[in-house]
DNA sequence: ACCTGAACACCGTTCAAGT
DNA sequence: ACCTGAACACCGTTCAAGT
């Protein structure tokens, strides 16, 4: 995991790993079936290190935000592995249970219908997944970050994205750096507002299958 | 692209590609700098094939849904490449402009504040990203799909996910298969409801930086 | 039961040599 | 300018042989 954190997933080589462990490269095969097992082991370690948020008496909105933030911080801590974690079929399946449970519990306290709860959890979990990918896709520290959104937009033929251009203009010069934490929170608030709206006007019950 | 679609990303090898093209493996290096260029080229092809939804007079909610669905169907068409597309730094950056523009345009027509528009677009795009990853992570056709959520839950020590268990119970036996299309749409509705809620009660203006 | 070294079958890529 | 073949430096993994 240290190798991956420092030098990326590609740097994790059976020979390198063995060297770092001070053993013969082939010895690893007596404990694990292959490299895939090494990687999925790392993925599972990182995923399972995500702590379950302590149950509190806080309002359900805060419980949900807390659960989402815990996932996010747990995975950005190993940003080189994050794409694998978030993509791993086993993790995707387990996420429906482990990380979703606190959210289900919070929604239950306000009487969200089962179907709506599933939708809300999926929306939340998928958003967290997607925002994580976006976050780890940009080079480490805003440092050496490619041309900013504003500059890239300027190089395109004018009129390509007029609405975006107007938004950037309106935001003014203070909108130079993106704060992932604040953006993440704002999106969470939006999702939660959507759930609240569903509470006030119960969902139209269409025919749908779920598992 | 055909190789990747049929046999996965790992099957795309310089030698294989050259063979399929009927040329010498090394000839490729006279047209492209290396394998990374081949892959990012494919990623860019798939991404740029996403059509811009035609501007209509439909209500903004429908315009947003249409934009999101177009992205999704464009990427599930090449599910083997989807994780790379959605992870590619260049695509992540371009997505803020290309695929976001129709959404900005739709939000503009109802006077969403610039800051809220950025948040809404991020929430939408990140959700689409995340749901795509979740969808392509499960084996192809619900066929040979691992143990269902219900069965996996049963193998865990009881009491692990009580709230989820109650939700599944309430959904009953009809909830055996998950319909990605319907789930996607339901989540979109939730996000849009969140945006609508923001329209009714304008966002608290905190201090934040954006780009 | 665990470890080892050598070898195999691949891979991306370099490079000198061809036309 | 474009292509070629051979070679290099890696990789994951197999396997017979050691203890």
């Amino acid at each position: 995991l240290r190798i991956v954190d420092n030098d990326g997933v590609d740097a994790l080589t059976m020979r390198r790993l063995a060297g770092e462990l001070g053993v013969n490269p082939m010895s690893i095969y007596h404990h694990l079936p292959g490299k895939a097992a090494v990687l999925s082991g790392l993925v599972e370690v990182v995923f399972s290190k995500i702590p379950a948020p302590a149950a509190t008496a806080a309002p359900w909105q805060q419980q949900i935000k807390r659960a989402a933030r815990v996932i996010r911080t747990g995975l950005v801590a190993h940003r080189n592995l994050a794409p694998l974690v978030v993509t791993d079929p086993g993790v995707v399946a387990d996420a429906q249970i482990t990380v979703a449970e606190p959210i289900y519990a919070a929604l239950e306290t306000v009487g969200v219908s089962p179907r709506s709860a599933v939708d809300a959890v999926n929306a939340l979990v998928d958003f967290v997944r997607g925002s994580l990918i976006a976050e780890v896709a940009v080079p480490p520290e805003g440092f050496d970050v490619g041309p900013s959104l504003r500059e890239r937009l300027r190089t395109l033929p004018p009129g390509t994205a007029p609405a975006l251009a107007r938004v950037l203009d309106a935001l003014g010069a203070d909108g130079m750096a993106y704060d992932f934490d604040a953006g993440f929170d704002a999106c969470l608030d939006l999702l939660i507002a959507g759930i609240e709206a569903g509470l006030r006007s119960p969902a139209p019950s269409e025919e749908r299958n779920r598992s």
Side-chain angles (χ1 to χ4, degrees), chain A residues 40-142:
Chain A
S40 77
L42 287 180
V43 164
E44 218 233 327
V45 163
V46 169
F47 177 70
S48 66
K49 264 201 308 193
I50 299 174
T56 67
W60 63 275
Q61 295 94 333
Q62 267 194 34
Q63 293 191 34
I64 287 180
K65 290 181 76 167
R66 192 130 49 200
R69 288 211 202 95
V70 164
I71 304 170
R72 174 166 175 269
T73 61
L75 297 190
V76 289
H78 302 280
R79 41 163 54 233
N80 287 343
L81 201 65
L84 254 57
V85 176
V86 103
T87 290
D88 184 273
V91 165
V92 169
D94 285 348
Q96 290 181 291
I97 299 179
T98 317
V99 311
E101 173 64 14
I103 307 178
Y104 279 115
L107 291 174
E108 202 174 34
T109 64
V110 275
V112 173
S113 83
R115 173 135 311 166
S116 300
V118 175
D119 290 333
V121 166
N122 282 336
L124 282 162
V125 171
D126 285 342
F127 160 71
V128 171
R129 223 192 303 271
S131 79
L132 251 161
I133 293 234
E135 181 165 359
V136 301
V138 349
E141 269 311 327

Side-chain angles (χ1 to χ4, degrees), chain A residues 172-183:
Chain A
D174 66 327
M176 287 312 285
Y178 186 81
D179 181 336
F180 279 107
D181 277 308

